[in-house]
Amino acid sequence: MKTKKLFLIITAICCILMMSACNKNQDDTSVVSKGTTATRATENKGEATVIDVFSDLNVTFEGENGSGKIICEYTGNNDFIKYDVEFKGDRNGSYKNGDTAVVKLDYSDYRAENANVFFKEKEHEYTVEGLWGVILSPDGYDFSECNQALEERMFDKERSDSMSNIRDFDIGNIITTTYIDGESDPTDWKILSAEYEAIRGKLIITDSCKNEYTVFYKVTLLCEKIEGSFFINPDSKYAVGDKKEWKFVIGETTRNVFVEKDSNIVKTDPEAITTGGGKIMSQTTIYSSSETEYNDNFDEYYGKMIYINPDKEIFDVEI
């Protein structure tokens, strides 16, 4: 009997011990592992560090315009940023001057929280500049060399590749006008003298990686009315032998003006353009006086004489 009671007591004690062990195991499953963010953040008793990382970020751009790359150099002394943060451009490898580049921080939220590090900004905008190649804005560039090259082409009387040529304005040549002072009056004139004055440059962006550039000159001709191929209008303001000053505009256009690496000097390359199967550096155009005689207001004249595509960007270049 005593043995039976002793056995029951021992069994009861074993059951109590086993239940206690089970309860302990259940309690252990609710404890957060030492490797979790919550535990690490709780254990880190220091104050949170808020970093203005972009104030210590040197951002530059390199490469050819239209395929530029972004270079980010961190100049601060925070070890977490040095070793745990990458700086990534949103369109790296396809930037062109004037673009807005967005630099974003790439890092582990877990590691940042572990280090108690927070950022004032996680992305920042920069304006792309300094790329070489085809230019898409005149800002900051020197056009003097390009202007000189186009002027030499424009006034090259030996050229044979241009639709219109400066030889048309040689002294003694005949020009024909159809309007005088806005009224129909077809007339032939003999050129007595010619003067040229640079007016303006125009840079037109034809698409995201191409442009064309034109240098415009004012041509002032002193002319004498002659008996020519037209019937002389008896009501004309001018009789044969009368002299009149005529003003024309002439332009030399080239495509894809560019700058070389680490330079702001705009150049034009005779071998850079292919038009109609042949290589051509530039094209001369004479904007003749007809219904619209040049009145020394270039902006007004440009709007009347030249079709402006509203989808293209047009920039003035002072020359």
Side-chain angles (χ1 to χ4, degrees):
M1 184 68 178
K2 290 183 178 180
T3 302
K4 185 177 181 181
K5 287 183 178 180
L6 181 61
F7 174 77
L8 292 172
I9 291 172
I10 293 172
T11 301
I13 292 173
C14 289
C15 290
I16 292 171
L17 291 173
M18 291 176 64
M19 291 176 63
S20 176
C22 290
N23 288 336
K24 185 177 185 304
N25 287 337
Q26 290 175 353
D27 290 341
D28 285 346
T29 61
S30 66
V31 176
V32 179
S33 168
K34 288 289 186 180
T36 65
T37 302
T39 300
R40 298 276 181 125
T42 302
E43 287 177 350
N44 190 340
K45 301 299 183 181
E47 293 185 3
T49 303
V50 179
I51 302 174
D52 183 7
V53 62
F54 292 102
S55 65
D56 292 322
L57 190 66
N58 183 29
V59 174
T60 56
F61 298 89
E62 67 176 27
E64 190 169 356
N65 200 18
S67 58
K69 297 180 179 180
I70 192 168
I71 306 297
C72 299
E73 179 186 7
Y74 176 64
T75 59
N77 56 9
N78 184 283
D79 286 341
F80 179 80
I81 298 174
K82 286 181 179 179
Y83 304 113
D84 290 276
V85 177
E86 287 187 67
F87 302 96
K88 294 186 175 181
D90 56 339
R91 301 188 313 282
N92 200 17
S94 61
Y95 291 118
K96 62 180 183 295
N97 288 323
D99 278 351
T100 297
V102 180
V103 176
K104 299 180 180 180
L105 306 185
D106 186 14
Y107 62 95
S108 164
D109 287 329
Y110 165 75
R111 294 179 68 86
E113 187 176 347
N114 217 6
N116 227 11
V117 169
F118 300 90
F119 296 105
K120 182 178 179 181
E121 290 181 285
K122 293 185 179 181
E123 60 181 54
H124 195 79
E125 293 184 350
Y126 296 86
T127 299
V128 180
E129 58 184 3
L131 300 177
W132 56 276
V134 175
I135 64 173
L136 303 177
S137 164
D139 297 341
Y141 294 113
D142 181 353
F143 280 76
S144 57
E145 183 175 314
C146 178
N147 291 338
Q148 180 63 34
L150 292 183
E151 180 180 305
E152 290 175 359
R153 291 284 289 178
M154 184 188 302
F155 291 101
D156 180 3
K157 294 187 178 182
E158 303 303 318
R159 284 178 69 182
S160 60
D161 62 346
S162 185
M163 292 177 61
S164 52
N165 200 288
I166 201 70
R167 288 193 300 265
D168 294 348
F169 295 143
D170 281 350
I171 293 175
N173 279 357
I174 307 301
I175 65 169
T176 299
T177 60
T178 54
Y179 284 79
I180 298 179
D181 300 329
E183 297 181 2
S184 178
D185 190 355
T187 308
D188 288 329
W189 304 83
K190 180 179 179 180
I191 298 175
L192 303 179
S193 66
E195 295 181 356
Y196 303 90
E197 177 188 350
I199 307 173
R200 188 85 56 82
K202 286 282 188 179
L203 179 69
I204 301 178
I205 310 307
T206 57
D207 62 33
S208 61
C209 60
K210 294 181 181 179
N211 63 40
E212 66 178 39
Y213 178 63
T214 303
V215 172
F216 292 95
Y217 274 71
K218 178 178 77 172
V219 184
T220 303
L221 305 179
L222 178 62
C223 298
E224 179 182 343
K225 185 173 179 177
I226 62 172
E227 292 185 1
S229 57
F230 288 106
F231 170 76
I232 296 177
N233 182 358
D235 297 323
S236 175
K237 293 174 61 175
Y238 297 91
V240 172
D242 285 351
K243 296 179 177 61
K244 175 177 169 54
E245 212 175 58
W246 284 97
K247 296 177 183 178
F248 293 75
V249 173
I250 187 170
E252 188 76 16
T253 300
T254 188
R255 295 177 178 83
N256 294 340
V257 291
F258 68 98
V259 292
E260 296 175 334
K261 188 175 182 180
D262 301 323
S263 172
N264 73 329
I265 306 299
V266 180
K267 297 177 178 290
T268 181
D269 185 355
E271 303 299 317
I273 307 156
T274 301
T275 302
K279 291 179 178 177
I280 178 172
M281 172 182 173
S282 57
Q283 180 64 58
T284 308
T285 303
I286 295 175
Y287 302 95
S288 302
S289 300
S290 55
E291 295 183 51
T292 307
E293 186 175 356
Y294 184 57
N295 60 356
D296 290 317
N297 184 333
F298 179 75
D299 293 324
E300 178 182 333
Y301 188 80
Y302 184 82
K304 289 182 177 179
M305 291 294 295
I306 301 172
Y307 170 71
I308 302 174
N309 189 326
D311 297 328
K312 301 186 185 306
E313 291 184 275
I314 302 176
F315 299 93
D316 284 333
V317 177
E318 297 299 326
I319 58 176

